[in-house]
Amino acid sequence: MKVLLPDTIPLDPDLPAGVTTAVYDVRRPLPDEHTDAEVLVVWGNTPENLSDAAQRLKAVRWVQTLAAGPDAVLAAGFAADVVVTAGLGLHDRTVAEHTLGLVLAAARRLNRLVRAQIGRRWAGEWGGPQPVDEPGAFRTLRDANVVIWGFGGIAARLAPLLAALGAHVTGVARGAGERHGFPVVTDADLPGLLPETDLLINILPATPETAGVLGAAILDRLPAHAWVVNVGRGATLDEDALLAAIRAGRLGGAALDVFAEEPLPVASGLWDEPDVIITPHAAGGRPEGASALLGENLAAYRSGGSLRNVVS
């Protein structure tokens, strides 16, 4: 059985007997000698490479993406009987860390301070004595109401970090209850939370159901001082509605790591907004434990067992 490994990350999984590997260039069409591969591992592939693989890998039966979201693989056109597994869990720590950075930058207005630094201006309005309590503003995580929409593995890492700094965290997921010590409600309960929310963090995956779901209907229910952070998928956010809300003063600001089109077009109005923080899809990018996950799934695949993170 041949397994194709991407050249974008060094992988050294434990290989079951009879399994061979070959490294391929994720930016070019697959070499003819590798079109007999049964397993394809994906990380950083271009859309053209994935489309080529979907058309020419006639023997492929399983695609393992190291990305947490499988949307690029699902869009490539692989046959319906090809099993797809995702890299859930590989990015939990790195995305949580980056998200915390965005949240603190927003609360402490580092976006404004960096702009002032570039202009060599001492931004005294953001320094010196400040109110301990500032109603109608998001300036600290202390006693802030934070809602995390998409309460999975990343949120499980992130929520305790926010709580340690004094935030009150509520998760939103498909099922209600308690997860990792935090209250979780369903999408149906989200509108009732929004008027008291200081910070809405979106970690939703890209699916047909979540396309543009973070739009005007959600944004209009947030208080005018609230911030939105998106580290899920760009397709879940209505960027035009977000921009309109910020420009109209109906939203405090946004910190965005993912976008509907990447790279974000130069013409996007998001670039010029002083209360929009932009990072270039930088939250993940470091799949921790990828070799271990691949080795575990290869062993399960060869023995007829259950694969981890199968995409339905």
Side-chain angles (χ1 to χ4, degrees):
M1 183 180 81
K2 181 185 289 185
V3 179
L4 295 184
L5 303 177
D7 65 352
T8 45
I9 180 173
L11 294 169
D12 186 27
D14 291 333
L15 299 177
V19 175
T20 62
T21 63
V23 176
Y24 71 99
D25 187 337
V26 302
R27 295 161 292 275
R28 300 176 59 84
L30 295 173
D32 290 338
E33 63 266 27
H34 293 325
T35 55
D36 60 341
E38 190 171 337
V39 180
L40 177 69
V41 181
V42 170
W43 178 241
N45 301 55
T46 64
E48 294 78 14
N49 171 272
L50 285 178
S51 178
D52 172 74
Q55 296 299 315
R56 295 174 55 231
L57 289 180
K58 301 303 183 184
V60 69
R61 293 293 175 266
W62 164 35
V63 177
Q64 169 73 66
T65 175
L66 302 182
D71 38 300
V73 172
L74 297 180
F78 288 94
D81 60 348
V82 174
V83 176
V84 177
T85 52
L88 298 176
L90 303 183
H91 305 273
D92 291 355
R93 179 163 53 181
T94 54
V95 177
E97 182 179 75
H98 191 87
T99 306
L100 179 62
L102 291 177
V103 168
L104 292 175
R108 291 295 178 166
R109 298 299 191 271
L110 296 189
N111 52 307
R112 294 276 186 169
L113 296 176
V114 168
R115 285 174 176 251
Q117 178 183 349
I118 292 172
R120 301 192 177 196
R121 183 180 73 85
W122 183 263
E125 68 274 21
W126 300 109
Q130 300 287 318
V132 174
D133 296 304
E134 195 170 352
F138 173 57
R139 293 296 308 279
T140 176
L141 281 172
R142 178 178 51 82
D143 291 328
N145 292 320
V146 179
V147 174
I148 303 179
W149 197 2
F151 206 87
I154 295 170
R157 288 275 190 149
L158 175 63
L161 303 177
L162 300 173
L165 292 171
H168 306 293
V169 180
T170 303
V172 181
R174 291 182 178 179
E178 183 177 294
R179 297 189 190 181
H180 311 287
F182 295 92
V184 175
V185 302
T186 66
D187 290 347
D189 299 310
L190 175 61
L193 293 176
L194 296 176
E196 302 300 323
T197 296
D198 300 299
L199 178 67
L200 175 61
I201 301 175
N202 175 30
I203 319 181
L204 290 172
T207 68
E209 294 75 23
T210 62
V213 69
L214 182 46
I218 297 294
L219 299 172
D220 288 349
R221 295 187 67 86
L222 288 167
H225 69 270
W227 274 64
V228 169
V229 175
N230 190 16
V231 292
R233 283 292 184 263
T236 65
L237 173 65
D238 184 336
E239 293 174 4
D240 290 337
L242 176 77
L243 189 57
I246 291 174
R247 286 177 170 174
R250 300 194 309 272
L251 193 66
L256 310 174
D257 185 57
V258 290
F259 302 89
E261 182 181 346
E262 297 180 356
L264 181 65
V266 174
S268 171
L270 294 170
W271 289 111
D272 296 325
E273 288 301 314
D275 285 319
V276 173
I277 299 171
I278 292 172
T279 57
H281 206 141
R286 306 167 186 84
E288 300 178 327
S291 290
L293 173 63
L294 179 57
E296 179 183 334
N297 268 351
L298 281 170
Y301 183 80
R302 288 291 278 177
S303 65
S306 298
L307 301 178
R308 275 180 57 189
N309 303 340
V310 173
V311 178
S312 60

